[in-house]
Amino acid sequence: AARLEADVQRYTIHWVFDENRTYEQWLTDLMPHYIADIQVTDEGKLALIPDAVTRIEPGRIMAQLDARVDVEAEAPEAAVEWDLDLRNLVNAVTVRYQYSWSRQDFMAEQTFINTRSRALYGQELTRELFLPGIRTSTHLSTWVALFFERYAFLPAVVRFPLRTTRYLVLMPSAYHTLSWRWGPEPNGNGWTNRQVKVLNTAVEMSHGQMHVEGY
């Protein structure tokens, strides 16, 4: 599935394996060239799940949650916690790519700015990135679009307790939707079926509850 997604996105990567290193060490260098999640399946296999700009696979949306109904608290909507750390937000990137192993230097550089994010947050939050394996501007443009999807409009990280453990399928990298009238949005209208990506979960079997953290 990851290979098919890479073909659809027209990813191309060029790399020189010039050292005797472990698979883990090579993957640490290679995976930043793709905006993707990495997880271990129940069968103990490594799974790569590339992001897509315009769609989330329906099978990854594991629950439809409503804060008024599903959150465990006397005042459920008030029990949803959120925070936004601008240190994790990026709306301007300069990317160096097309590395030449023979010259030991990058052959191309481009700067991208997300003007909507810059206007919303009132400042330019910059980062310099190095992607030696990216060879084409098409791959780079797709990569930057996905990067901005994650980081240019970083939604609040939300944390909340659920009334039940029936949502054990909400594992990291899965998605659920959340309707929450106090959800932080620039338009002030709250969240209606907002897609939330799960970061962490914790289960309290003795209380029949689970805690979910996502963004």
Side-chain angles (χ1 to χ4, degrees):
R3 177 61 181 270
L4 176 62
E5 185 67 33
D7 291 341
V8 169
Q9 299 289 354
R10 297 176 63 189
Y11 290 150
T12 57
I13 187 169
H14 171 89
W15 199 268
V16 174
F17 296 92
D18 56 353
E19 298 178 18
N20 184 16
R21 305 170 68 191
T22 66
Y23 291 132
E24 181 180 3
Q25 289 171 328
W26 284 121
L27 282 172
T28 299
D29 288 344
L30 291 171
M31 284 312 300
H33 295 77
Y34 309 96
I35 305 297
D37 291 309
I38 305 175
Q39 66 183 60
V40 178
T41 68
D42 293 339
E43 295 80 21
K45 297 180 179 180
L46 184 67
L48 309 179
I49 308 174
D51 281 10
V53 176
T54 58
R55 62 184 175 84
I56 298 299
E57 294 293 339
R60 295 178 69 189
I61 299 178
M62 308 304 294
Q64 308 280 339
L65 303 179
D66 188 320
R68 296 170 298 178
V69 176
D70 297 300
V71 172
E72 174 59 45
E74 291 185 4
E77 291 191 290
V80 180
E81 301 177 355
W82 69 278
D83 63 69
L84 174 61
D85 189 345
L86 290 180
R87 291 175 299 178
N88 295 324
L89 191 128
V90 181
N91 54 28
V93 294
T94 295
V95 184
R96 301 184 68 188
Y97 65 109
Q98 288 186 4
Y99 187 78
S100 169
W101 272 262
S102 61
R103 299 185 183 185
Q104 296 189 349
D105 195 11
F106 289 90
M107 307 305 294
E109 179 180 305
Q110 281 187 254
T111 297
F112 300 83
I113 298 174
N114 190 302
T115 55
R116 289 178 55 241
S117 173
R118 183 174 59 182
L120 177 63
Y121 296 106
Q123 57 184 303
E124 195 165 288
L125 302 155
T126 63
R127 185 170 296 179
E128 186 177 19
L129 302 171
F130 302 92
L131 298 170
I134 289 184
R135 313 311 299 168
T136 68
S137 58
T138 299
H139 184 173
L140 180 63
S141 296
T142 302
W143 190 97
V144 170
L146 291 165
F147 181 84
F148 280 152
E149 281 284 314
R150 282 199 178 192
Y151 300 110
F153 295 95
L154 187 67
V157 173
V158 291
R159 304 178 185 88
F160 51 88
L162 291 174
R163 296 180 182 274
T164 174
T165 58
R166 61 183 287 207
Y167 297 113
L168 292 176
V169 294
L170 293 178
M171 301 298 291
S173 296
Y175 283 83
H176 65 82
T177 62
L178 178 64
S179 294
W180 177 36
R181 62 176 173 170
W182 296 343
E185 287 287 351
N187 57 25
N189 294 331
W191 292 359
T192 300
N193 293 326
R194 169 69 173 268
Q195 289 182 344
V196 178
K197 189 173 193 175
V198 178
L199 291 173
N200 297 291
T201 58
V203 179
E204 294 183 13
M205 297 301 295
S206 60
H207 294 84
Q209 295 180 2
M210 66 180 295
H211 296 261
V212 178
E213 179 183 58
Y215 67 93

